[in-house]
Amino acid sequence: MTEPQRDVFLCDDIEHVDHIMVSAFAADPSFAWTTPFDMPERERWLLGFLHTWHMFIRRHGGFAVMDSSRASAIITEPYHDPPLGDADIKRFHDEITQATGPAAERFITFVELLEEKKPQGLPPHIHWCLGGVLPDRYERGAIADIVNWHKGYADALGLEHYLEASSLGAMERWSNAGFTRVGDPIQMPGGEVELYPMRTYRRSAPSA
């Protein structure tokens, strides 16, 4: 049976997008490393980080896309050429420190490793920073419509997509959406938590 096509739209409801991300990543192994389950006020610090990252992305040209059920969203960051400067990164780290209390050091380590261990030689791409579905409002196919919208958007710009899958399960889901593993896993300190870099390959090539 074919799933119904949903509309997707650019979403400026920051609070709701943040709510989706906190709900989607509450049990995620990467964020269990940054904010262990027994950490006091864990949800506060997790929300603080996700909101700070969301605002950083928007400040530098990124946006969130949501499906019409308002149950799923993806936050993406544009390709920066040249890369963001040291002052921008320092401001981001300072904001993380202010927003995440006792978890700040691990969150800063997390974002630093995502950048430092990013595979070399990637083509110009859109970075899919965060994507999630509300667990209690999951509708089959909802996020697939956002994925398809983004693929068409990137294809029109001549760009690839890149993301870090935060678990083996996530890697399998993104593989089904057309992403391919690239480079080595990104290990958090201790070696027990890994993220998996993935990219797309354009559906059409530019004219010669």
Side-chain angles (χ1 to χ4, degrees), residues 43 54 59 75 88 91 93 113-114 118-119 135 170 204:
E43 185 172 340
H54 186 182
R59 187 160 68 234
I75 304 173
D88 295 312
R91 178 181 174 185
H93 290 183
L113 285 173
L114 292 189
K118 193 172 188 176
S204 60

Side-chain angles (χ1 to χ4, degrees), residues 73-152:
I74 293 175
I75 304 173
T76 57
E77 181 179 24
Y79 184 65
H80 297 298
D81 185 17
L84 298 179
D86 291 344
D88 295 312
I89 301 304
K90 182 181 184 305
R91 178 181 174 185
F92 181 35
H93 290 183
D94 289 345
E95 290 169 343
I96 292 173
T97 298
Q98 294 170 10
T100 61
E105 183 176 353
R106 286 198 172 198
F107 277 122
I108 291 173
T109 297
F110 176 80
V111 296
E112 287 180 334
L113 285 173
L114 292 189
E115 186 61 31
E116 291 172 7
K117 302 299 184 181
K118 193 172 188 176
Q120 297 297 308
L122 289 173
H125 58 272
I126 296 171
H127 183 195
W128 294 28
C129 300
L130 294 164
V133 181
L134 286 174
D136 61 343
R137 291 186 53 204
Y138 181 80
E139 294 184 27
R140 184 177 178 184
I143 204 164
D145 293 323
I146 303 178
V147 169
N148 289 333
W149 183 93
H150 266 295
K151 285 184 176 180

